[in-house]
Amino acid sequence: MYAFAPDRSLPKPELYRELTESARALVAGESDGVANMANLSALIWQYVDWLNWAGFYRVIADELVLGPFQGRAACIRIPLGKGVCGAAAASGMTQLVPDVHAFPGHIACDAASRSELVVPVIRQDRVIAVIDLDSPEPARFDAEDAAGMELLAKAIAAAI
Ligand code: SME
């Protein structure tokens, strides 16, 4: 059993540092990427509040394919460059979207989503996956969330 007990009221930089340390502990010694992504999705869900979706899309050939996640069933395949996830994967840049309805080409997997944060996971200079967070709150994510999730993405890149 894993007894992670996040204090969601911590200042964001600290919360994400703790999330990242917990994530390192969780994947340590496990080489199965699917198992690690499944556990990491659950961990993000526990640590980060006001989410309606949290999970992975993996870069396979020229598309993103749904990976382990928490939340409602979602689109399975997204072409690179399409939607918020495709933009993050194609550019290798974090996408911080305060209003998904204002993002050209946003793909609505869950109609409840209002804002979104997508960070690329980079291994050996290649985007291998993205971590996608959706929130029902407009402008839920800020630069501290983006920096925190980038820290996490770096820490787990070798384990997924
Ligand atoms: N909204 C995303 C699609 C994935 S779901 O939100 C889970 C996008 O525009 O890429």
Side-chain angles (χ1 to χ4, degrees):
M1 192 189 87
Y2 296 102
F4 297 109
D7 174 1
R8 289 172 169 217
S9 64
L10 283 175
K12 283 184 189 181
E14 244 172 273
L15 182 81
Y16 283 105
R17 265 198 302 276
E18 282 198 9
L19 166 58
T20 301
E21 284 320 305
S22 301
R24 280 188 212 278
L26 196 53
V27 302
E30 178 50 64
S31 61
D32 189 281
V34 173
N36 284 336
M37 285 186 280
N39 259 344
L40 289 166
S41 307
L43 195 70
I44 295 167
W45 194 253
Q46 236 191 316
Y47 270 78
V48 184
D49 59 7
W50 290 105
L51 299 180
N52 60 312
W53 206 89
F56 290 82
Y57 278 91
R58 297 153 304 137
V59 177
I60 298 177
D62 56 355
E63 48 183 16
L64 288 171
V65 183
L66 183 63
F69 67 93
Q70 302 275 310
R72 290 196 176 169
C75 331
I76 297 170
R77 291 173 189 271
I78 298 175
L80 285 185
K82 298 286 178 204
V84 186
C85 292
S91 66
M93 305 287 290
T94 293
Q95 304 291 309
L96 181 55
V97 181
D99 174 6
V100 295
H101 298 310
F103 187 95
H106 167 253
I107 300 163
C109 287
D110 182 340
S113 299
R114 285 290 173 276
S115 56
E116 187 160 354
L117 172 63
V118 183
V119 299
V121 181
I122 297 167
R123 189 161 73 204
Q124 288 164 352
D125 296 327
R126 269 190 338 112
V127 179
I128 57 162
V130 300
I131 308 175
D132 180 17
L133 304 185
D134 285 33
S135 174
E137 288 293 303
R140 156 67 182 80
F141 307 104
D142 61 17
E144 288 186 335
D145 294 290
M149 287 303 296
E150 285 169 356
L151 191 70
L152 175 69
K154 260 196 207 116
I156 56 89
I160 67 165

